[in-house]
Amino acid sequence: MSKLVLVDGHSILNRAFYGVPLFTNSEGLHTNAVFGFLNILFKLIDDEKPDYLAIAFDVHQPTFRHEMFKDYKGTRKPMLPELREQVPVIKELLHKMNITTIELPGFEADDVIGTMSKIGEDAGMDVCVFSGDRDLLQLASDKVMICIPKTKKGQTTVEKYKTEEVKELYKVTPVEFIDVKALMGDSSDNIPGVPGIGEKGATNIIEQFGSIENAYEHAEEISNKRNKTALLEHYDMAQMSKVLATINRKSPVETKIEDCVFEDIYTADALDMIKHLEFKSMIPRFSGVTLENKYEDSFVKISQPDKAEELFNNLKSADKIGLYIYGNNDITGISICKEDDAVYFLPVFGLITKEYLIFHIRDIVNSNCIISVANIKENNDIFNKTILENDENSNLFDVEIAAYLINPLSNTYLYDDIARDYLGITLPSMEEIFPKVKKGEVSPYEIEENVINYCCYNALVNYKAYDVLKSKLIETDMWDVYSNIEIPLTYALYSMEKCGIMIKPEELKEYGNRLNGDIKILEKEIYDEAGHDFNINSPKQLGEILFGEMGLPGGKKTKTGYSTSASVLEKLEPEYPFVRKILEYRQLTKLKSTYADGLAVYIGDDSRIHGKFNQTITATGRISSTEPNLQNIPVRMALGREIRKVFVPKDDCVFLDADYSQIELRILAHMSDDENLIEAYRESKDIHAATASLVFHVPLDEVTKTQRSNAKAVNFGIVYGISSFGLSQDLSISKKEAEKYIDDYFKSYPGIKNYLDNSVKEAKEKGYSTTMFGRRRPIPELKAGNFMQRQFGERVAMNSPIQGTAADIMKIAMINVERELRKNNLKSRIVLQVHDELLVETYKDEISTVQDILVKNMEGAANLHVPLDVDVKEGNNWDEAH
DNA sequence: CCGATCACG
DNA sequence: ACGTACGTGATCGGC
């Protein structure tokens, strides 16, 4: 059966325009809507495979179904110039693609589509109608499907409606839907509707009577009194609205369905235009031969031992290869790229054993050949390198780390991302190579051709990206950060992950049980207070109970309802002591689910947790911790801190915990060169008290507790990129007072004010900020038109050099500690890093040596104008040592 | 799959 | 007039 697809051109273009961020080609022509339109069009073509395709456009924008109602009420918003200029562009492109467009003077695109769909339906065709809004739902039938594309997070999904789906959603048939719309009205379509009848009422009436006319005749039976009088009083209005709402299915369209044959759309003319528009990712589609196939043709599978032997022999003379190792924990195959058009896949099979492949990989690792891979840390079980063998001459290159340094804001650094961003080529993503399994089909991961392509793309990109990424690192002055910090660090992180940290599982379990008892008690007390059971963990339900049923005051916030955050509840606590129970309940359930239960899942057979330490996540250069997050284990509250007692050293060991004292403020002192702050640190003053003394103009020994803690909050605020509002929130004071604090702070430390202003200025000029060691963070927000975003960018510009430099210093310290431990053949190991803290599982006979190593390397990691102060403590669990 | 909440630095 | 402190990750409920 043949299929006819009809598209509402303006409505899709409109949707594309608002769904895709504004951008232009190099001539300054806006192209985002055209781009989005094409993406929807391609999805439509791939999914529906039309035999006939036509795209209908309104002749004028805005247009109205009936001239006489033109000025009925208001007018449509005029089209933005950025969108208007794209209308002729898409029409020209469609013309070049041999796609039929229809414009009918005096009629809307809706009418054209209504007419064409009727003709197609009557001819027994399957019809699909694509539109950005729901106006066309009345056309739905068992043969006509209305499709509404939605762009979410770059992915377009399509909602599809036939008769059944319309009934399900609106409780009326598509034809009845006209009457619903006529009753309720639609301001965007200038349909007045009946005043007093809304969506609910309209649906009820039509559900019961089937049409406006029938409802009018049986008006006495309308149960809702308001609706009844409204309909009787405004029946003329309802009838007029119905005329307006009805799509004309007999308009004088001259185009015949046969004129809309869908074929030969990827023409040479269209390709030229795509190039002119600079839609690089679409070029493959238009040039007929896809780039993918070009590469896939050069992927070679090697499964014969003699061929494998020959390949490895050949590699002895190579000076650079791209490598990809396939398999989760167990290697099941590898890909090697040694030239642009020579990519090999070697599955583990027969005589080509895992051991054989590992042997040869290590052989290359130990040669001078550069091996470009995507994640050294994840593959180091095979490379088997330690930090001692890795300096700036390392022959292992990590494209993921390189790409992260160049743009730390990206979410993923997968082969297709790198190919797109640095090689200018579009490759199929992992999801495209391994599409979601359909029921009863063989898993795409078991189809060897998919696996070969996936592995070879990885190896190919690793190979080709090496030169580009290395030049970029050198260009951006980040080669030092890359080779002296990140690459050695990756081995330190590998060592930490491999080592893991020991947990006492029984004690963790007991802790969980203890919490559970208390939770049950609190739960009951809360239900009693509320009068009934509900889900305390649901902010929605909790909000309704507190502010609705129980009538607690104020408390409005957030889009979805009442805010029930701790800061809101704490304000209520003095007057309503019962909310304390909610806060306690929250605390306990958090501890139970995230920590007691959450951590238990990760304990391995060796009684240790081997969490991941991620190197390519944060914008500032910090390390992140996942599966589980070991960097947010409770410490501030006594009950939470208990958890740290189950983190223990193994036999014959203790924990040494070393942390930097106020590293960020010291970095601020150094970078700003502020005399007062530097002097305070050089004289080992209590820095918060010293700040209080300066800001509040009191002698150092007369600073009160409150003054000191306020000054501490200001110090934090400065590091975060101070704002008077933020500070006022933190200290629960007025914005005015906060402003005064900040003002006085800057008067006390003029060097800091100067430095922060300069940080912002420099970041604005360059588009990024830089740490002491040259690490960069782009700040696109500084160029934003939106005031708030720009303000955010300014705070980021103040904070990231500080936070980033602290991260750099800690990384350097870790590298040097790790090196010295290994160089001296010590068995003690770093097990955790928590931003300014290192936890070392230390053998008892190595305690004093390790302590010295920690202090020396952490304090000596950077040479600042103020001393770096490190505090080391010893303990038999993490709590004791901290 | 997103937003709210809360744990850490 | 707006509506905000910087950087993370896990869990939960609800759409």
Side-chain angles (χ1 to χ4, degrees):
Chain A
M1 188 166 318
S2 38
K3 179 174 267 186
L4 168 68
V5 174
L6 301 164
V7 178
D8 180 349
H10 271 124
S11 129
I12 295 288
L13 194 65
N14 213 48
R15 182 136 299 212
F17 179 72
Y18 289 104
V20 179
L22 266 187
F23 54 76
T24 68
N25 70 353
S26 46
E27 290 170 1
L29 175 73
H30 286 93
T31 53
N32 63 317
V34 177
F35 185 81
F37 189 103
L38 281 181
N39 270 328
I40 293 172
L41 186 66
F42 291 150
K43 178 148 179 63
L44 166 173
I45 290 168
D46 295 344
D47 291 355
E48 307 299 338
K49 303 190 174 44
D51 300 300
Y52 302 95
L53 172 66
I55 301 184
F57 285 94
D58 297 327
V59 181
H60 301 294
Q61 187 80 358
T63 58
F64 300 92
R65 203 180 312 284
H66 297 273
E67 287 293 310
M68 60 179 184
F69 298 124
K70 204 167 189 174
D71 292 313
Y72 173 68
K73 134 172 124 177
T75 46
R76 282 192 194 180
K77 272 190 217 158
M79 207 185 249
L80 288 173
E82 292 85 352
L83 176 54
R84 194 200 307 278
E85 70 183 37
Q86 300 187 58
V87 175
V89 178
I90 189 67
K91 286 183 184 169
E92 185 186 342
L93 182 58
L94 291 172
H95 179 70
K96 289 185 170 166
M97 291 171 76
N98 293 327
I99 291 175
T100 310
T101 56
I102 305 176
E103 295 179 22
L104 191 60
F107 293 85
E108 288 200 349
D110 288 0
D111 302 323
V112 173
I113 290 173
T115 306
M116 294 290 281
S117 65
K118 180 92 171 53
I119 296 172
E121 192 177 7
D122 291 347
M125 299 172 117
D126 279 330
V127 182
C128 280
V129 173
F130 275 75
S131 176
D133 48 50
R134 292 162 188 277
D135 294 347
L136 291 163
L137 283 179
Q138 56 179 276
L139 301 179
S141 70
D142 293 337
K143 300 290 285 179
V144 179
M145 181 161 74
I146 311 299
C147 303
I148 303 176
K150 304 251 149 153
T151 310
K152 240 193 202 170
K153 288 198 140 192
Q155 285 289 311
T156 28
T157 53
V158 181
E159 287 177 10
K160 299 181 174 181
Y161 297 89
K162 285 192 173 181
T163 310
E164 274 313 302
E165 287 75 19
V166 174
K167 272 196 204 158
E168 221 169 88
L169 204 60
Y170 296 99
K171 297 187 206 154
V172 295
T173 66
V175 174
E176 290 169 347
F177 189 66
I178 302 173
D179 295 62
V180 172
K181 202 171 154 186
L183 283 179
M184 64 189 266
D186 183 343
S187 61
S188 71
D189 260 353
N190 291 299
I191 294 169
V194 173
I197 300 185
E199 187 181 343
K200 260 256 164 65
T203 309
N204 285 337
I205 292 171
I206 300 303
E207 202 184 350
Q208 189 180 350
F209 302 100
S211 74
I212 292 175
E213 293 76 14
N214 194 37
Y216 183 71
E217 277 172 32
H218 301 90
E220 288 315 309
E221 295 166 33
I222 298 177
S223 53
N224 183 307
K225 203 150 174 236
R226 236 179 63 134
N227 286 340
K228 179 166 52 179
T229 47
L231 178 62
L232 288 171
E233 207 162 298
H234 298 285
Y235 184 52
D236 55 332
M237 201 77 137
Q239 286 177 302
M240 179 183 90
S241 293
K242 184 163 175 178
V243 174
L244 285 174
T246 307
I247 291 174
N248 184 344
R249 304 198 73 173
K250 286 182 183 156
S251 57
V253 182
E254 285 174 16
T255 313
K256 301 269 174 289
I257 291 186
E258 305 83 72
D259 303 336
C260 307
V261 175
F262 177 80
E263 58 187 5
D264 293 333
I265 63 166
Y266 301 117
T267 62
D269 277 356
L271 174 61
D272 280 349
M273 191 157 168
I274 289 296
K275 284 180 179 162
H276 180 225
L277 293 168
E278 296 166 15
F279 296 161
K280 284 186 193 145
S281 63
M282 292 181 182
I283 290 176
R285 199 162 179 130
F286 280 85
S287 44
V289 192
T290 61
L291 283 170
E292 290 91 305
N293 290 332
K294 188 182 114 195
Y295 288 114
E296 286 173 16
D297 287 346
S298 67
F299 296 163
V300 179
K301 175 185 161 192
I302 295 183
S303 51
Q304 290 164 295
D306 55 330
K307 295 270 187 205
E309 200 63 14
E310 190 187 324
L311 172 66
F312 286 120
N313 267 326
N314 262 330
L315 290 178
K316 289 207 162 74
S317 60
D319 50 10
K320 180 178 88 181
I321 65 163
L323 173 68
Y324 179 74
I325 298 168
Y326 183 66
N328 287 335
N329 295 310
D330 212 20
I331 146 172
T332 55
I334 66 169
S335 258
I336 293 176
C337 174
K338 71 183 184 77
E339 286 162 50
D340 271 10
D341 52 1
V343 195
Y344 304 94
F345 177 71
L346 294 83
V348 170
F349 178 75
L351 287 176
I352 303 181
T353 60
K354 196 171 81 177
E355 291 71 25
Y356 173 83
L357 291 177
I358 292 175
F359 170 83
H360 279 290
I361 291 173
R362 286 190 185 164
D363 203 35
I364 308 170
V365 168
N366 293 322
S367 75
N368 289 322
C369 177
I370 288 160
I371 306 170
S372 183
V373 298
N375 188 331
I376 294 175
K377 178 156 67 70
E378 224 158 68
N379 293 304
N380 201 41
D381 276 338
I382 288 158
F383 304 145
N384 205 23
K385 286 239 219 180
T386 76
I387 203 163
L388 295 181
E389 300 134 19
N390 277 281
D391 47 27
E392 62 261 48
N393 297 317
S394 169
N395 61 332
L396 276 170
F397 185 82
D398 194 316
V399 294
E400 188 177 326
I401 292 176
Y404 163 70
L405 284 176
I406 294 162
N407 177 17
L409 301 185
S410 187
N411 292 318
T412 51
Y413 303 93
L414 302 171
Y415 67 96
D416 51 316
D417 299 316
I418 291 174
R420 166 173 36 78
D421 295 342
Y422 300 102
L423 307 175
I425 55 181
T426 308
L427 299 181
S429 68
M430 179 170 173
E431 289 76 18
E432 282 161 348
I433 295 180
F434 302 117
K436 277 222 162 56
V437 260
K438 287 179 190 147
K439 269 181 273 174
E441 279 180 17
V442 59
S443 159
Y445 294 91
E446 285 165 30
I447 299 169
E448 189 174 32
E449 193 187 313
N450 293 347
V451 173
I452 295 175
N453 287 339
Y454 176 73
C455 292
C456 289
Y457 279 128
N458 271 286
L460 177 75
V461 170
N462 290 343
Y463 178 85
K464 286 167 88 80
Y466 171 80
D467 288 327
V468 182
L469 291 172
K470 181 166 182 181
S471 326
K472 283 245 180 204
L473 288 172
I474 293 169
E475 238 171 72
T476 53
D477 300 315
M478 287 198 286
W479 181 250
D480 280 351
V481 175
Y482 170 82
S483 56
N484 296 331
I485 298 182
E486 298 301 334
I487 289 301
L489 179 75
T490 218
Y491 296 97
L493 297 179
Y494 169 79
S495 166
M496 275 166 58
E497 289 181 8
K498 185 106 180 152
C499 186
I501 184 163
M502 180 129 92
I503 301 289
K504 290 197 153 171
E506 309 80 25
E507 293 186 14
L508 185 63
K509 185 111 184 87
E510 264 173 48
Y511 178 73
N513 292 340
R514 217 157 73 222
L515 290 172
N516 215 9
D518 294 345
I519 289 170
K520 284 279 165 328
I521 295 169
L522 277 169
E523 208 170 61
K524 193 171 178 321
E525 290 174 356
I526 291 168
Y527 292 157
D528 283 349
E529 202 86 27
H532 59 94
D533 291 9
F534 66 101
N535 190 340
I536 311 170
N537 280 321
S538 160
K540 188 163 174 255
Q541 294 182 32
L542 180 63
E544 276 156 19
I545 298 228
L546 286 180
F547 303 107
E549 293 179 19
M550 304 181 68
L552 269 60
K556 270 223 174 158
K557 261 188 179 178
T558 76
K559 290 112 189 125
T560 50
Y562 301 108
S563 167
T564 65
S565 70
S567 65
V568 171
L569 297 190
E570 271 158 15
K571 288 198 179 74
L572 293 168
E573 200 191 328
E575 195 149 348
Y576 305 88
F578 135 82
V579 301
R580 173 84 255 152
K581 293 196 200 301
I582 308 248
L583 288 164
E584 272 173 34
Y585 175 88
R586 282 243 179 100
Q587 262 186 0
L588 298 192
T589 51
K590 177 94 178 174
L591 292 173
K592 176 84 163 71
S593 64
T594 305
Y595 300 103
D597 299 345
L599 288 175
V601 177
Y602 291 97
I603 302 174
D605 295 337
D606 54 356
S607 290
R608 297 174 82 90
I609 291 179
H610 300 269
K612 289 186 175 169
F613 289 93
N614 313 295
Q615 207 177 346
T616 58
I617 299 288
T618 70
T620 53
R622 275 188 177 180
I623 287 162
S624 104
S625 162
T626 51
E627 299 172 59
N629 183 351
L630 295 171
Q631 291 179 322
N632 73 344
I633 304 298
V635 67
R636 292 170 192 168
M637 310 285 277
L639 182 64
R641 198 158 56 229
E642 290 282 304
I643 295 184
R644 293 184 170 225
K645 296 196 171 122
V646 311
F647 288 77
V648 291
K650 64 180 173 187
D651 284 352
D652 305 321
C653 288
V654 296
F655 275 151
L656 284 185
D657 186 294
D659 72 308
Y660 281 113
S661 148
Q662 296 160 348
I663 185 168
E664 290 186 341
L665 270 183
R666 287 169 197 264
I667 288 166
L668 176 65
H670 170 85
M671 308 237 284
S672 68
D673 230 341
D674 181 277
E675 283 177 33
N676 290 338
L677 196 55
I678 287 182
E679 191 197 309
Y681 272 120
R682 287 208 177 135
E683 292 173 9
S684 310
K685 283 187 190 162
D686 172 342
I687 204 70
H688 301 311
T691 300
S693 157
L694 279 176
V695 172
F696 302 118
H697 309 290
V698 289
L700 193 56
D701 50 10
E702 283 174 31
V703 169
T704 65
K705 272 214 167 108
T706 321
Q707 284 174 328
R708 184 183 180 281
S709 89
N710 286 356
K712 186 174 173 180
V714 178
N715 276 327
F716 268 98
I718 294 291
V719 171
Y720 291 157
I722 195 93
S723 83
S724 52
F725 180 87
L727 182 66
S728 72
Q729 286 292 298
D730 191 46
L731 289 177
S732 311
I733 56 175
S734 74
K735 217 175 104 178
K736 200 95 189 174
E737 288 172 280
E739 258 164 45
K740 175 105 173 66
Y741 281 14
I742 295 167
D743 217 42
D744 290 346
Y745 182 93
F746 283 141
K747 278 191 192 125
S748 310
Y749 299 110
I752 291 180
K753 167 85 174 133
N754 186 35
Y755 162 76
L756 292 176
D757 288 347
N758 209 41
S759 293
V760 173
K761 184 164 159 274
E762 209 182 298
K764 277 193 169 154
E765 284 163 11
K766 294 182 175 164
Y768 58 86
S769 58
T770 313
T771 69
M772 246 181 83
F773 297 87
R775 179 191 307 278
R776 293 185 183 185
R777 163 170 185 171
I779 313 179
E781 292 89 347
L782 287 171
K783 289 198 168 64
N786 179 309
F787 174 76
M788 228 188 63
Q789 281 188 32
R790 222 168 38 241
Q791 192 102 3
F792 172 76
E794 290 178 10
R795 290 196 296 272
V796 166
M798 296 188 243
N799 170 267
S800 41
I802 301 171
Q803 191 183 122
T805 300
D808 289 343
I809 290 175
M810 179 49 116
K811 284 177 170 180
I812 292 166
M814 287 173 72
I815 291 163
N816 292 336
V817 168
E818 181 77 14
R819 277 213 180 107
E820 202 161 340
L821 290 176
R822 287 180 185 265
K823 202 167 63 197
N824 296 331
N825 288 317
L826 298 169
K827 292 173 292 177
S828 306
R829 289 288 175 264
I830 305 174
V831 291
L832 291 182
Q833 187 257 36
V834 194
H835 309 307
D836 63 357
E837 167 190 5
L838 288 181
L839 188 67
V840 181
E841 188 174 58
T842 309
Y843 280 83
K844 286 180 179 157
D845 56 347
E846 296 177 358
I847 291 175
S848 67
T849 321
V850 171
Q851 167 141 4
D852 290 348
I853 289 174
L854 280 168
V855 172
K856 184 180 80 180
N857 290 299
M858 287 175 74
E859 292 189 347
N863 190 9
L864 306 186
H865 300 157
V866 295
L868 276 175
D869 185 34
V870 171
D871 183 33
V872 186
K873 281 209 281 232
E874 182 187 326
N876 288 310
N877 60 53
W878 191 8
D879 180 39
E880 254 180 55
H882 191 66

